[in-house]
Amino acid sequence: MKISDASTSPQQRQQAELVRRNGLRLLKLVNTLLDFSRIEADRLPVTYEQI
């Protein structure tokens, strides 16, 4: 979604971008949590490597 309507103020566009970024961050966190849940349920293969 792109906010570029002429009727939106710079502050509204900035807030919309903040909401978008935070939504993406939350999506990544939820997906990571789901991956851990799958790992614990042995439904996701895991390979360990030394770092």
Side-chain angles (χ1 to χ4, degrees), residues 31-50:
N31 285 334
T32 300
L33 184 60
L34 288 171
D35 286 342
F36 278 117
S37 175
R38 289 182 191 108
I39 290 168
E40 287 184 342
D42 290 328
R43 291 187 292 148
L44 186 66
V46 179
T47 55
Y48 297 97
E49 44 182 80
Q50 189 174 8

Side-chain angles (χ1 to χ4, degrees), residues 2-48:
K2 210 168 193 180
I3 305 292
S4 61
D5 189 308
S7 65
T8 58
S9 71
Q11 183 180 7
Q12 288 173 320
R13 284 193 290 273
Q14 188 177 24
Q15 288 176 346
E17 180 60 24
L18 179 65
V19 169
R20 187 187 72 80
R21 282 195 322 262
N22 286 335
L24 291 174
R25 183 184 302 162
L26 183 59
L27 177 63
K28 289 178 186 179
L29 289 171
V30 168
N31 285 334
T32 300
L33 184 60
L34 288 171
D35 286 342
F36 278 117
S37 175
R38 289 182 191 108
I39 290 168
E40 287 184 342
D42 290 328
R43 291 187 292 148
L44 186 66
V46 179
T47 55
Y48 297 97

